[in-house]
């Protein structure tokens, strides 16, 4: 990498540290020619391939903008959205892939969004999983109910017995 000040093709690393919870490394470099310092950031490359076939760098703010509409009127804070976007990025990076289709990003969002808010999840899922009928909604709601009951079973063993709606 060229020195941004004098274009000298060599530089020396004077300090490197983890950034963004370990998903990036920030290096402080010094140019041996002009003596000035600059910073580089190293991350694994992660591109999102849009429907048009064009790739763009993964962006947490795009994830947040994508789910914000589904969260309208719901008790979801900006912090919740930021944490969701971080979880989405971590899940995708953990797969080790350098590229991911925009549509698949939407599918990855479904997991953390379901934990965050069921209504927002259903709104978002109806778009990303292309719900076409009431049956699709019914199936998704039945799955949510089933999971909620499984959770309740685990949580209420011993403690208070929760009332269950008969199916
Ligand atoms: Zn220089």
């Amino acid at each position: 990498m060229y020195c941004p000040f004098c274009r000298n093709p060599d530089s020396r690393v004077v300090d490197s540290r983890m950034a963004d919870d370990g998903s990036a490394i920030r290096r402080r470099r010094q140019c041996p020619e002009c003596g000035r310092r600059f910073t580089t950031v190293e991350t694994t490359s992660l591109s999102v391939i849009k429907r048009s076939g064009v790739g763009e760098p993964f962006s947490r703010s795009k994830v947040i903008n994508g789910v914000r509409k589904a969260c309208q009127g719901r008790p979801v804070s900006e912090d919740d959205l930021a944490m969701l976007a971080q979880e989405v990025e971590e899940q995708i990076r953990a797969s080790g892939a350098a590229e991911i289709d925009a549509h698949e990003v939407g599918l990855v969002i479904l997991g953390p969004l379901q934990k965050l808010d069921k209504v927002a999840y259903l709104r978002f899922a109806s778009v990303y999983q292309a719900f076409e009928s009431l049956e699709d909604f019914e199936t998704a709601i039945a799955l949510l109910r089933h999971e909620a009951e499984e959770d309740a079973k685990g949580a209420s063993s011993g403690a208070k017995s929760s009332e269950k709606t008969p199916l």
Side-chain angles (χ1 to χ4, degrees), residues 84-152:
L84 177 137
Q86 182 179 337
E87 197 173 334
V88 167
E89 178 171 1
E90 280 168 1
Q91 264 191 47
I92 296 171
R93 287 194 185 277
S95 74
E99 309 182 334
I100 183 168
D101 284 341
H103 181 74
E104 281 179 62
V105 176
L107 297 179
V108 174
I109 289 170
L110 289 173
L113 187 57
Q114 182 182 332
K115 280 183 275 164
L116 188 59
D117 188 276
K118 304 277 187 273
V119 171
Y121 163 81
L122 278 174
R123 288 174 180 162
F124 192 82
S126 69
V127 175
Y128 267 85
Q129 296 182 316
F131 287 9
E132 283 171 351
S133 63
L134 288 176
E135 283 74 23
D136 288 338
F137 278 95
E138 281 169 349
T139 306
I141 291 168
L143 273 170
L144 283 175
R145 284 230 169 93
H146 178 73
E147 280 171 32
E149 276 169 21
E150 292 294 307
D151 286 351

Side-chain angles (χ1 to χ4, degrees), residues 10-21:
D10 191 28
S11 65
R12 192 168 60 88
V13 176
V14 290
D15 182 48
S16 43
R17 59 185 60 187
M18 297 264 230
D20 294 336
D21 294 329

Side-chain angles (χ1 to χ4, degrees), residues 2-8 10 30-36 38:
Y2 289 109
C3 165
F5 303 104
C6 72
R7 311 290 294 165
N8 182 53
D10 191 28
Q30 185 166 32
C31 171
E33 195 59 36
C34 70
R36 294 171 90 166
F38 56 100

